[in-house]
Amino acid sequence: MIAIFKKGFCLLMGLLLLFAGCQGQKENVLSQESESLSGEKAESSLGSVESSDTGADERLRHAEYGISPMKYEEYFGEERYFVPVKMDIRWSMTLPYIEIGSAINPEVIRLYTHDTVIENCIGGDSHILFFRSGQSLYRLFLKDALAEKVFSAEDPYWFYPITNYQTMILFCNPAFDEALSQYGDALPSDHPNPYIPYLYDVRSGELTPFDPQSLGYVSNMDVTLIPREEIVPLE
């Protein structure tokens, strides 16, 4: 029973992170490569509206699906919090594309198509979402269906967006596995954190160790429960 619990715990926690951000889903191995996939590899039907006033129709169409009309340069001109809003983002772990629905428009639109399956996705911000495919993490700018690879690692990891530039990267913690093997179902309340959390900055490519105790929380605190404003204070 202990062995089954141990094997399934990281998967369970990953699913909890997934559903928390998607309604519907080490340092030595860091990849700083960033690439645009919006040309040949990305497919978007949001910008193909025909009208005598194309700009106005595009703004209306984006609004129907909850996508901000803000341009890439303006949005990334400053660091902003990843702000969850109610959006109908649809994806599957067996499919290579992301779709979006609308309460106003019955048409479900294929927002973006990748070249491999989407294994995890955290959306809900009207400007961007993040998804993992293979061992690489991508940031998708919704308005232009522009995907950029922002992180890659050999070891399994989960992610939790904090801002448009900084994301929490969570690796499994061997110390927690040892405690789980030792105590099983009687795991003490002061057990090690199931994850080794890092704060990753896309701009510098650096992974900075993060300890919840630095903000006054217990060391095994679930970082997804800590307000983003405390993790990365923005002036």
Side-chain angles (χ1 to χ4, degrees), residues 65-131:
Y65 290 87
I67 297 176
S68 171
M70 188 181 293
K71 294 183 179 180
Y72 181 97
E73 293 77 12
E74 180 182 359
Y75 176 69
F76 288 105
E78 62 181 84
E79 187 168 13
R80 308 169 188 269
Y81 289 115
F82 182 88
V83 182
V85 295
K86 188 175 182 179
M87 296 182 71
D88 186 7
I89 300 294
R90 307 182 185 188
W91 64 281
S92 170
M93 296 180 68
T94 61
L95 299 173
Y97 54 79
I98 299 171
E99 296 180 323
I100 185 170
S102 168
I104 302 173
N105 192 326
E107 179 184 4
V108 175
I109 287 179
R110 183 168 299 185
L111 177 64
Y112 172 77
T113 300
H114 198 54
D115 52 359
T116 53
V117 297
I118 308 294
E119 298 177 16
N120 196 350
C121 171
I122 295 182
D125 184 283
S126 62
H127 303 88
I128 57 174
L129 61 74
F130 290 81
F131 69 89

Side-chain angles (χ1 to χ4, degrees), residues 151-206:
F151 178 79
S152 185
E154 295 177 358
D155 293 333
Y157 65 89
W158 289 271
F159 60 94
Y160 181 68
I162 305 300
T163 73
N164 52 351
Y165 283 108
Q166 299 192 63
T167 301
M168 196 68 70
I169 302 294
L170 307 169
F171 295 99
C172 277
N173 187 356
F176 175 79
D177 292 341
E178 293 177 5
L180 193 61
S181 296
Q182 180 179 356
Y183 296 103
D185 296 341
L187 195 66
S189 59
D190 61 347
H191 62 77
N193 196 308
Y195 296 104
I196 301 176
Y198 291 85
L199 192 59
Y200 172 66
D201 194 319
V202 174
R203 295 162 296 189
S204 64
E206 294 182 353

